[in-house]
Amino acid sequence: MSWAQAILLARGLSWGWGGICGAALTRAPFSQAPLWAPRGLHRSATACNSDSWLVPPSPEPPKGPPKAPAPHEELFTQALGGTRDKANFVRAVQNFGQHNVYKRGHVDFIYLALRKMREYGVERDLAVYNLLLDVFPKEVFRPRSIFQSMFIHYPRQQECGIAVLEQMESHGVMPNKETEFLLLQIFGRKSYPMLKFIRMKLWFSRFKNINPFPVPRDLPQDPVDLAKLGLRHMEPNLNATVTIYQMPSSKDSTGAADPTEPHIVGIQTPDQQAALAHHNPARPIFVEGPFSLWLRDKCVYYHILRADLLPPEEREVEEIPEEWNLYYPMQLDLDYGRSGWDDYEFDIQEVEEGPVFAICMAGAHDQATLAKWIQGLQETNPALAQIPVVFRLAGSTGELLGSSSGLEDPPPPPPEGQEEEEDNQQRQQQGQS
Amino acid sequence: MGAGVLFLRQALAARPCRALVAFATSRRLLRTSPPSRAFAKQLFLGKIEKKEVFPFPEVSQDELNEINQFVGPLEKFFTEEVDSERIDREGKIPNETLEKLKNLGLFGLQVPEEYGGLGLSNTMYARLGEIIGLDGSIAVTLAAHQAIGLKGIILAGNKEQKAKYLPRLASGEHIAAFCLTEATSGSDAASIKTRATLSEDKKHYILNGSKIWITNGGIANVFTVFAKTQVVDSDGSVKDKITAFIVERDFGGVTNGKPEDKLGIRGSNTCEVHFENTKVPIENVLGEVGGGFKVAMNILNSGRFSMGSLVAGMLKKLMEMTAAYACTRKQFNRNLSEYGLIQEKFALMAQKTYVMESMAYLTAGMLDQPGFPDCSIEAAMVKVFSSEGAWQCVSEALQVLGGSGYMRDYPYERLLRDSRILLIFEGTNEILRMYIALTGLQHAGRILTARINELKRGNVTTVIETVSQRLRDSLGRTVDLGLTGKLGAVHPSVADSANKLEENVYYFGRTVETLLLRFGKTIVEEQMVLKRVANILINLYGMTAVLSRASRSIRVGLRNHDHEVLLANIFCAEAYYQNLFTLSQLDKYSPENLDEQIKKVSQQVLEKQAYICAHPLDRTS
């Protein structure tokens, strides 16, 4: 996903730049050293390991005893009485400020809160991030002299501020004016969180819309809607029609549809219809799949209806009929063509593939379900009735399927179906020959 | 008016008309020189075929008197009796108006005299067109009847067909319609679905299919229908080919839909026509079986030149009305006519009218020459120029009129609506531009083949010759194609303009050669290039026409010829600079050539089928 790549790239750049700026500020001979050295001194025993020092992934502090609660954990456990939602999270953060007038241990609290955000489902909420930043005492960490800003002033607090911004970045939350204002108040203009903020402002705006095929952030839960989205995502032609050949019979199941009546959703463009209508009925067409398609963190599977590439001797050369255009000549009767001077065709080695006639996504990947799809297609493609269809179904698409079993996707096709389907396929192919 | 009509009928029916035809034939006999090559095609080679266009074609005094005899009453009829507002409102030409049009003989203007028509020459037809053009609906109804509807019978019909159909069509007893367009087939003849199959007794064709947007479809009795038939080719294979048929409504199975509700020309009858198992006798095949494509092309090509005079007539009338308004309407104690921006619009209207009139009559004159010269490019140019001029001028006139131009109480908005169709029918202007450019390039390409092949092979002499010619051109040479000078074809008053034309023509020829060298036959795919080629050619033809006409006007001392000189010089100067710009756009590496960017933009828009820019108020944060 190029969006993710963009974020990685942005992060990498900001790292690199941080290093350079740090080096420039402290005139150290190597780039990363000035950032790392003070961090070692001020490192919180609870907060960091060397891999992900910004946001420790596990709620347990790595060096503490496994069950010992982190400081201020009680603020969140109190809130556990209610549901884990934004209001309770906000209350926990506000409680910290009320109970702790001197804001003792605020860095630890912020790290803790950052880890908790996902649980509470507020990891994409800009207001919550601003609230977290607001926990920092104001004006205290602002460098007051040029020397203070040269040597990192309150490095642990700055690191913590960067951690907040980093988590925003990884969730694609764009900081706003309020964030800027808070950072100014807390760390001042010449600080690393501020630098991070400015870089985020710069690169976020450049990378935000870099993906030409954006996937909505919240994917539809309904498998039919998800299938529609996936099909539209794969088919660039806007004139394609999505057809629901079969609705899942049981409405209550969220992910795994009823095995007897799984959903079948297909897409076909007018061009594909025309191509199918002109297909030579003597040549079989194939249903192939399942192939996987990732939409954010979900994996869906699709099947295609395709044919083999025509051998060159059978291809029809497109002729311009003699009496075609009533108004102007469609071709000139000249014996010279385009000069090399105006020939922009690059010499590209192209691997030609056979035509794809339709795509579908179904709740089950067995032949019976896909045969229903082909039946449904026949209504709009009468030519399909004459063309032999061969099912070439892979039992498993490999490791992707296995790894996705934990997600909400329909379970991968049972491995025992593989032999049967291959048998079917062989039978069909024998039938053809 | 009755007396007037009566007089006209007499005038048309009796002697003068016959005299006219007799004169026309005699004139044809007088000119015995072989038909020279068409003017426009030679322009592609950078040459001006002077004989074709200089001097401006004239009609004799007798002929002029004849035509003026019916121009007067006809004009009176159109200004006094035709209620264009009512026709537009009711969406129908009243029967009594139609009857009077028939009595005036307007349904058979170009039908030969032996079949009861007036047998007018193209020039005379153009002259009457100026008056018919005063009402869009009537003009379109008449044009659909005789410029395309019955034209097939005149051009391709045999004697029996002519004798059977033409008299009643010429008198207006029967109305004709031209049935080509189908829901799936506009200019694409291959996708015609209407089919005619030979019956078992081989005496009839059974016609089945539907045609859409047929002008006169609801009122016509005789249809020229194009349908696919099975034809056995010379090599024995069976092929689907188009055949033209004359179909009478009485053959049975002919039905039509309800009249379409249109933007303009609302009084003309446009509807679908369905043929269901219509039995057409085989003697009603127009031309040869399988030869319908050529028939259709000839009909379409022959009918176009008349739009120039039609539009000119309409614009002349519009200018009168608009000028009256501009000279009476006061703002800030001054008439509108005293303001520069208003004056500019009148100059534009006068100029456009002058040019399209000149082009139309020049083309008509060329068509009237003996030997059936092929002037289809010229006719297409007249159509493109006049339809676009009409739209532009009517729009400018509405601008002068301000709010009253927009109100339905005044006739102006109707003219705007009516003139919009001109850009679309009889071949859209885009398609005609392709026709103009490609036909010319085909001609030039054939002639330049040897030279271009030598250049491609790298023949040293040819290459050096070409390079040195280019060098000389780039150093600025004065082009002299012999228009000016002591015995030149044009009058010294417009000599400057003639020099501009010569320069344009010369460099156009060079550019055409370069284009052919660059693209060869694949130039068919370069539509943006072709459009520019066509635009230059239209300008060149317009310049030639006004130079020729203005020179004649000065020499024979017509009224207000100084005005003509002004108009000619203005147009030529404007067209000259336009051409220079367009020529530089045709240059591959010029900064004016934005083709690549334009293609990219349209590609991106069409891929998403939407305007893809973010909203100006959008933010990223």
Side-chain angles (χ1 to χ4, degrees):
Chain A
M1 200 98 283
S2 54
W3 166 238
Q5 281 174 355
I7 290 191
L8 282 176
L9 182 61
R11 188 181 293 181
L13 282 168
S14 71
W15 267 90
W17 283 31
I20 291 161
C21 291
L25 278 172
T26 53
R27 296 184 172 79
F30 38 82
S31 64
Q32 298 265 330
L35 269 175
W36 283 104
R39 186 176 302 127
L41 286 175
H42 294 268
R43 170 165 294 180
S44 150
T46 57
C48 304
N49 60 23
S50 60
D51 276 343
S52 56
W53 58 277
L54 286 166
V55 186
S58 60
E60 292 86 20
K63 286 181 186 172
K67 285 291 172 189
H72 315 297
E73 183 87 46
E74 74 281 355
L75 287 171
F76 288 99
T77 41
Q78 272 172 13
L80 257 184
T83 48
R84 292 178 183 231
D85 60 0
K86 184 180 173 183
N88 280 331
F89 190 88
V90 170
R91 196 174 305 136
V93 176
Q94 281 166 348
N95 282 344
F96 174 78
Q98 282 163 8
H99 291 310
N100 217 329
V101 188
Y102 300 108
K103 311 216 168 174
R104 202 169 282 135
H106 64 269
V107 172
D108 292 330
F109 174 75
I110 290 172
Y111 277 126
L112 176 71
L114 285 179
R115 288 196 301 269
K116 293 276 179 194
M117 284 180 94
R118 199 188 261 271
E119 284 175 40
Y120 284 77
V122 290
E123 75 273 18
R124 293 206 177 104
D125 195 325
L126 176 61
V128 174
Y129 284 106
N130 284 339
L131 199 70
L132 268 188
L133 283 176
D134 203 20
V135 170
F136 279 110
K138 311 294 177 306
E139 304 291 339
V140 183
F141 310 131
R142 288 181 73 154
R144 268 152 237 287
S145 70
I146 187 169
F147 297 102
Q148 283 178 345
S149 54
M150 269 166 64
F151 301 98
I152 303 171
H153 200 45
Y154 287 101
R156 198 169 160 244
Q157 281 73 13
Q158 290 207 26
E159 256 174 40
C160 183
I162 293 176
V164 175
L165 293 170
E166 186 90 348
Q167 184 157 332
M168 289 168 74
E169 182 183 304
S170 59
H171 286 115
V173 180
M174 180 79 165
N176 65 356
K177 278 272 176 218
E178 196 189 342
T179 322
E180 184 181 11
F181 187 67
L182 282 167
L183 288 174
L184 266 181
Q185 272 193 319
I186 300 163
F187 298 109
R189 176 74 65 192
K190 294 194 170 167
S191 61
Y192 285 94
M194 200 60 205
L195 194 63
K196 172 89 188 159
F197 168 82
I198 289 167
R199 285 174 182 154
M200 278 170 78
K201 284 292 256 192
L202 176 74
W203 291 110
F204 264 41
S205 49
R206 271 153 189 69
F207 289 130
K208 191 176 178 198
N209 291 312
I210 203 157
N211 184 358
F213 310 105
V215 180
R217 191 156 72 191
D218 300 311
L219 292 170
Q221 291 300 313
D222 183 28
V224 175
D225 290 343
L226 189 67
K228 277 189 201 166
L229 180 78
L231 289 171
R232 282 279 176 213
H233 207 68
M234 283 191 290
E235 178 55 68
N237 190 335
L238 295 174
N239 299 327
T241 43
V242 173
T243 318
I244 301 171
Y245 295 101
Q246 184 169 294
M247 287 296 280
S249 60
S250 51
K251 280 280 172 192
D252 54 339
S253 62
T254 50
D258 183 8
T260 55
E261 291 270 295
H263 67 270
I264 307 171
V265 185
I267 192 166
Q268 198 180 29
T269 64
D271 294 345
Q272 287 172 334
Q273 256 181 33
L276 189 53
H278 284 117
H279 185 79
N280 178 6
R283 305 186 73 87
I285 56 176
F286 307 101
V287 176
E288 288 187 357
F291 304 108
S292 58
L293 169 74
W294 283 91
L295 296 166
R296 290 202 180 269
D297 54 354
K298 284 195 178 172
C299 186
V300 288
Y301 297 91
Y302 63 92
H303 293 79
I304 57 172
L305 182 67
R306 60 166 277 267
D308 278 336
L309 196 62
L310 281 175
E313 65 272 13
E314 282 190 31
R315 278 179 223 176
E316 284 176 25
V317 188
E318 240 186 62
E319 266 185 25
I320 297 183
E322 209 176 303
E323 298 184 344
W324 199 7
N325 192 324
L326 280 162
Y327 291 93
Y328 64 91
M330 298 290 273
Q331 56 185 353
L332 290 189
D333 177 25
L334 300 175
D335 57 354
Y336 42 92
R338 191 175 288 255
S339 70
W341 185 27
D342 265 278
D343 201 352
Y344 294 113
E345 297 285 310
F346 286 105
D347 188 18
I348 305 170
Q349 185 87 40
E350 283 187 357
V351 179
E352 280 190 90
E353 287 190 332
V356 173
F357 297 120
I359 312 176
C360 94
M361 282 191 187
H365 309 308
D366 54 281
Q367 190 178 332
T369 314
L370 294 167
K372 280 183 194 164
W373 170 47
I374 300 298
Q375 271 176 6
L377 268 178
Q378 280 185 16
E379 283 176 22
T380 45
N381 300 278
L384 201 53
Q386 270 82 49
I387 307 173
V389 180
V390 180
F391 289 85
R392 276 190 195 162
L393 304 177
S396 147
T397 46
E399 286 170 27
L400 276 179
L401 271 176
S403 68
S404 69
S405 57
L407 296 170
E408 288 179 343
D409 298 305
E416 61 266 18
Q418 189 174 353
E419 291 169 13
E420 186 188 311
E421 275 154 17
E422 277 181 0
D423 279 352
N424 278 341
Q425 183 191 334
Q426 282 171 1
R427 245 177 281 140
Q428 292 243 1
Q429 282 178 339
Q430 281 163 1
Q432 299 307 319
S433 53
Chain B
M1 187 60 214
V5 171
L6 204 65
F7 161 75
L8 204 63
R9 276 187 78 186
Q10 283 171 345
L12 291 173
R15 180 203 50 89
C17 203
R18 207 161 293 139
L20 213 160
V21 174
F23 181 78
T25 43
S26 69
R27 193 188 52 170
R28 280 187 187 175
L29 289 177
L30 281 177
R31 286 214 196 173
T32 47
S33 61
S36 48
R37 275 170 297 187
F39 169 76
K41 283 183 180 171
Q42 290 299 98
L43 285 179
F44 278 85
L45 297 169
K47 290 176 189 161
I48 295 178
E49 201 65 29
K50 271 188 291 182
K51 259 189 227 156
E52 292 286 311
V53 290
F54 292 103
F56 198 73
E58 285 188 343
V59 294
S60 70
Q61 190 62 47
D62 294 344
E63 225 173 339
L64 192 64
N65 291 343
E66 306 295 353
I67 201 74
N68 280 342
Q69 266 187 350
F70 25 94
V71 161
L74 195 61
E75 207 160 14
K76 197 163 170 246
F77 170 70
F78 265 87
T79 46
E80 287 175 8
E81 289 202 24
V82 173
D83 186 355
S84 296
E85 196 269 325
R86 181 177 157 208
I87 292 176
D88 184 65
R89 179 162 33 84
E90 292 179 356
K92 190 173 178 295
I93 303 172
N95 280 335
E96 61 268 22
T97 312
L98 269 183
E99 280 309 311
K100 276 176 189 158
L101 290 171
K102 288 172 188 173
N103 289 342
L104 284 165
L106 290 182
F107 278 74
L109 291 178
Q110 286 203 290
V111 175
E113 207 204 359
E114 65 256 43
Y115 299 114
L118 297 184
L120 294 187
S121 68
N122 291 303
T123 310
M124 294 298 111
Y125 180 62
R127 177 70 189 95
L128 290 189
E130 278 185 43
I131 299 150
I132 297 167
L134 293 178
D135 183 277
S137 300
I138 293 178
V140 169
T141 304
L142 288 178
H145 169 74
Q146 57 191 338
I148 50 178
L150 60 78
K151 200 64 165 265
I153 304 179
I154 297 180
L155 290 178
N158 54 31
K159 270 213 171 113
E160 293 78 44
Q161 287 167 346
K162 283 182 181 174
K164 185 174 176 196
Y165 289 106
L166 285 182
R168 270 185 286 179
L169 287 169
S171 69
E173 189 185 338
H174 283 174
I175 294 178
F178 182 77
C179 303
L180 178 65
T181 309
E182 293 185 13
T184 52
S185 156
S187 31
D188 178 358
S191 55
I192 285 181
K193 294 257 166 36
T194 304
R195 180 160 284 282
T197 39
L198 201 56
S199 66
E200 280 176 12
D201 57 2
K202 307 224 164 181
K203 283 185 181 161
H204 289 93
Y205 276 97
I206 311 293
L207 189 65
N208 275 299
S210 290
K211 301 283 184 179
I212 60 165
W213 302 335
I214 304 305
T215 311
N216 294 349
I219 54 174
N221 312 83
V222 177
F223 302 87
T224 309
V225 185
F226 294 86
K228 283 263 174 77
T229 46
Q230 282 199 337
V231 178
V232 181
D233 229 15
S234 50
D235 56 352
S237 60
V238 177
K239 268 189 179 173
D240 271 352
K241 283 198 152 187
I242 299 163
T243 306
F245 297 94
I246 309 170
V247 180
E248 291 176 40
R249 193 180 279 273
D250 302 337
F251 285 167
V254 183
T255 50
N256 58 272
K258 68 171 178 38
E260 307 277 352
D261 195 12
K262 303 188 291 289
L263 173 73
I265 52 167
R266 296 175 60 86
S268 69
N269 177 294
T270 308
C271 58
E272 290 179 19
V273 178
H274 310 281
F275 300 97
E276 201 185 338
N277 291 327
T278 305
K279 276 173 100 180
V280 186
I282 56 172
E283 53 271 22
N284 272 28
V285 170
L286 202 49
E288 289 170 31
V289 175
F293 188 84
K294 286 229 162 61
V295 175
M297 252 175 50
N298 285 339
I299 295 173
L300 290 168
N301 281 340
S302 73
R304 287 194 190 109
F305 78 97
S306 61
M307 192 182 285
S309 66
L310 227 73
V311 170
M314 187 266 285
L315 284 182
K316 284 185 207 170
K317 182 83 184 165
L318 177 67
M319 274 171 76
E320 281 173 23
M321 297 192 288
T322 320
Y325 178 84
C327 293
T328 49
R329 166 91 171 170
K330 274 201 177 356
Q331 289 286 288
F332 313 112
N333 288 333
R334 285 160 79 187
N335 282 332
L336 281 191
S337 55
E338 292 172 51
Y339 293 101
L341 287 181
I342 303 292
Q343 291 165 354
E344 190 186 49
K345 295 186 198 307
F346 282 99
L348 178 93
M349 285 191 267
Q351 176 208 325
K352 292 272 176 199
T353 313
Y354 184 70
V355 179
M356 70 180 72
E357 208 178 44
S358 313
M359 284 167 87
Y361 282 99
L362 178 63
T363 313
M366 282 157 92
L367 281 168
D368 281 336
Q369 279 174 19
F372 301 107
D374 176 22
C375 295
S376 53
I377 301 187
E378 284 86 352
M381 289 195 284
V382 172
K383 193 263 171 181
V384 172
F385 186 89
S386 57
S387 58
E388 276 164 19
W391 180 242
Q392 199 183 352
C393 290
V394 174
S395 166
E396 290 289 4
L398 251 71
Q399 209 62 29
V400 172
L401 294 157
S404 34
Y406 202 69
M407 299 300 146
R408 293 205 108 156
D409 290 342
Y410 297 92
Y412 312 110
E413 57 89 33
R414 190 188 67 242
L415 291 179
L416 186 84
R417 284 187 284 114
D418 284 355
S419 59
R420 191 61 186 82
I421 189 62
L422 301 177
L423 304 154
I424 299 170
F425 70 6
E426 295 205 27
T428 64
N429 283 7
E430 283 69 26
I431 270 185
L432 288 182
R433 283 203 163 89
M434 294 300 111
Y435 173 75
I436 294 164
L438 285 172
T439 317
L441 284 170
Q442 172 73 75
H443 176 78
R446 277 208 195 108
I447 290 175
L448 294 175
T449 296
R451 195 174 142 78
I452 286 177
N453 278 341
E454 269 176 29
L455 273 176
K456 290 209 168 183
R457 244 181 282 126
N459 185 321
V460 182
T461 19
T462 327
V463 171
I464 290 176
E465 203 177 273
T466 313
V467 170
S468 62
Q469 193 183 31
R470 290 290 149 98
L471 264 178
R472 257 183 292 138
D473 289 350
S474 66
L475 292 174
R477 50 168 284 181
T478 49
V479 184
D480 183 14
L481 301 177
L483 287 187
T484 53
K486 230 177 181 179
L487 292 168
V490 302
H491 191 268
S493 316
V494 287
D496 274 352
S497 300
N499 284 333
K500 289 193 172 100
L501 171 67
E502 286 173 330
E503 193 193 320
N504 271 172
V505 169
Y506 178 77
Y507 287 107
F508 178 60
R510 292 275 84 77
T511 306
V512 164
E513 195 183 312
T514 314
L515 287 176
L516 283 169
L517 199 58
R518 276 176 63 188
F519 296 112
K521 59 184 170 189
T522 62
I523 200 165
V524 179
E525 301 299 321
E526 305 288 328
Q527 293 204 330
M528 286 193 261
V529 169
L530 293 175
K531 184 198 91 178
R532 298 204 180 104
V533 169
N535 280 348
I536 296 175
L537 198 74
I538 293 169
N539 273 339
L540 293 180
Y541 189 54
M543 286 162 97
T544 317
V546 292
L547 287 174
S548 171
R549 177 171 167 198
S551 301
R552 169 183 175 265
S553 299
I554 304 166
R555 284 179 178 146
V556 300
L558 288 185
R559 201 158 32 87
N560 296 336
H561 62 248
D562 50 337
H563 189 68
E564 289 188 32
V565 171
L566 276 174
L567 290 176
N569 281 333
I570 292 175
F571 175 74
C572 286
E574 280 183 11
Y576 170 73
Y577 290 113
Q578 263 176 29
N579 283 345
L580 287 188
F581 181 72
T582 318
L583 282 173
S584 68
Q585 281 186 317
L586 284 173
D587 186 6
K588 185 176 177 185
Y589 296 111
S590 72
E592 291 91 349
N593 184 349
L594 301 176
D595 287 1
E596 290 307 312
Q597 286 98 312
I598 291 169
K599 277 183 188 160
K600 220 176 200 166
V601 166
S602 62
Q603 200 185 336
Q604 286 169 355
V605 168
L606 291 173
E607 192 186 346
K608 298 279 183 232
Q609 300 182 4
Y611 171 73
I612 58 171
C613 294
H615 192 274
L617 301 181
D618 275 357
R619 302 168 54 113
T620 47
S621 64

